[in-house]
């Protein structure tokens, strides 16, 4: 069963999945089974920070090591809940990433997310850890990038102002979050430097998971 919320023995679906000693546990029938408990990598930051530019190069550089995905492909009407933090949307992504992990490759998820939106969710238990790298930029540069986007993206001035506020908040609070969010400033950085930094960040996190020797944390070498 690829959906880790469903017990392969009795078919019960857990609203709050349970993991004990690195194995999933069905709270109904007490069946226990192994799974790949890999780290998830969240490449985050404000719109205009560089995620959409870095992502394709990251996929090319990490081919065979990780699966790089763009979170907006699931931003459909059925998942656009009005609750702060969009928990239904976030939970769906965690379930999707956990299923992909059962193929033995960690996921790099490109999209705007911060620890308070992922860490409290029941599906967080599927991952050995979530690593966060935020691409940020100086406000004037970020605003110019957003204004230059195609009209269909609908970046009007009020929406740009909201994103600038998020950018400032993230830069100020990243180090105090749990876990901390690593920052990379793309204001003057060439694309190659941003991609190099992101590749090193993924490989560092993957290497740490291998060294930990935690159950289910095997990763491609």
């Amino acid at each position: 069963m690829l959906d880790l919320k469903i017990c392969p023995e009795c078919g019960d679906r857990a609203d709050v999945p349970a993991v004990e000693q690195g194995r999933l546990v069905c709270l109904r029938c007490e069946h226990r089974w192994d799974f790949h408990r890999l780290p998830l990598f969240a490449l985050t930051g404000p719109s205009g920070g560089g995620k959409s530019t870095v992502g394709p190069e990251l996929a090319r550089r990490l081919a065979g090591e990780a699966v790089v995905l763009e979170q907006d492909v699931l931003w459909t009407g059925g998942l656009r809940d009005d609750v702060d933090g969009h928990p239904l949307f976030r939970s769906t992504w965690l379930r999707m990433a956990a299923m992909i992990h059962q193929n033995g490759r960690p996921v790099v998820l490109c999209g705007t997310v911060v620890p308070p939106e992922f860490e409290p969710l029941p599906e967080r238990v599927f991952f050995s850890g979530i690593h966060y790298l935020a691409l940020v930029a100086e406000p004037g540069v970020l605003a110019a990038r957003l204004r230059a986007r195609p009209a269909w993206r609908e970046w009007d001035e009020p929406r740009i102002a909201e994103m600038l506020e998020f950018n400032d908040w993230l830069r100020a609070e990243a180090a105090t979050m749990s876990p901390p969010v690593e920052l990379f400033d793309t204001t003057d950085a060439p694309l190659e430097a941003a991609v190099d930094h992101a590749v090193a960040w993924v490989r560092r996190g993957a290497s740490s998971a291998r060294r930990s020797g935690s159950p289910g944390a095997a990763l491609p070498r």
Side-chain angles (χ1 to χ4, degrees):
M1 185 69 66
L2 281 176
D3 188 342
L4 300 183
K5 297 186 76 171
I6 300 175
C7 174
E9 184 68 18
C10 72
D12 190 44
R13 182 181 183 277
D15 292 329
V16 181
V19 173
E20 295 178 3
Q21 297 181 331
R23 305 182 80 196
L24 281 161
V25 180
C26 176
L27 299 181
R28 178 183 179 187
C29 73
E30 299 185 353
H31 177 67
R32 286 163 165 76
W33 68 102
D34 295 324
F35 73 109
H36 287 300
R37 197 182 195 192
L38 306 183
L40 175 66
F41 298 90
L43 182 66
T44 184
S47 298
K51 299 184 299 296
S52 297
T53 305
V54 170
E57 288 300 308
L58 202 57
R60 182 181 62 81
R61 291 274 298 273
L62 292 175
E65 298 179 56
V67 179
V68 182
L69 300 172
E70 164 59 58
Q71 76 163 0
D72 283 355
V73 299
L74 286 186
W75 189 239
T76 62
L79 294 177
R80 291 183 183 180
D81 48 11
D82 293 329
V83 182
D84 287 345
H86 307 289
L88 177 60
F89 176 66
R90 308 293 183 192
S91 291
T92 301
W93 260 119
L94 290 183
R95 290 176 65 195
M96 177 78 74
M99 284 189 280
I100 293 171
H101 280 182
Q102 303 319 296
N103 294 279
R105 295 288 185 269
V107 166
V108 180
L109 181 59
C110 303
T112 302
V113 64
V114 289
E117 295 171 328
F118 266 169
E119 299 298 325
L121 296 176
E123 293 81 6
R124 170 62 180 82
V125 74
F126 293 144
F127 307 94
S128 61
I130 302 182
H131 303 269
Y132 299 84
L133 172 62
L135 304 182
V136 296
E138 291 297 326
V141 171
L142 196 67
R145 291 173 181 174
L146 295 175
R147 292 186 184 111
R149 288 190 165 183
W152 68 266
R153 291 182 175 268
E154 300 180 342
W155 280 102
D156 57 20
E157 291 304 314
R159 190 176 171 207
I160 291 173
E162 289 180 3
M163 191 54 61
L164 294 180
E165 183 178 351
F166 172 70
N167 180 63
D168 291 342
W169 173 81
L170 185 56
R171 294 172 73 181
E173 302 295 332
T176 67
M177 293 186 195
S178 182
V181 177
E182 183 176 333
L183 297 179
F184 183 84
D185 195 319
T186 64
T187 300
D188 298 310
L191 174 59
E192 184 177 1
V195 174
D196 285 347
H197 189 93
V199 167
W201 162 68
V202 171
R203 288 176 174 164
R204 185 170 66 247
S207 177
S208 177
R210 285 195 295 266
R211 290 196 304 271
S212 73
S214 58
L219 287 164
R221 296 180 183 273

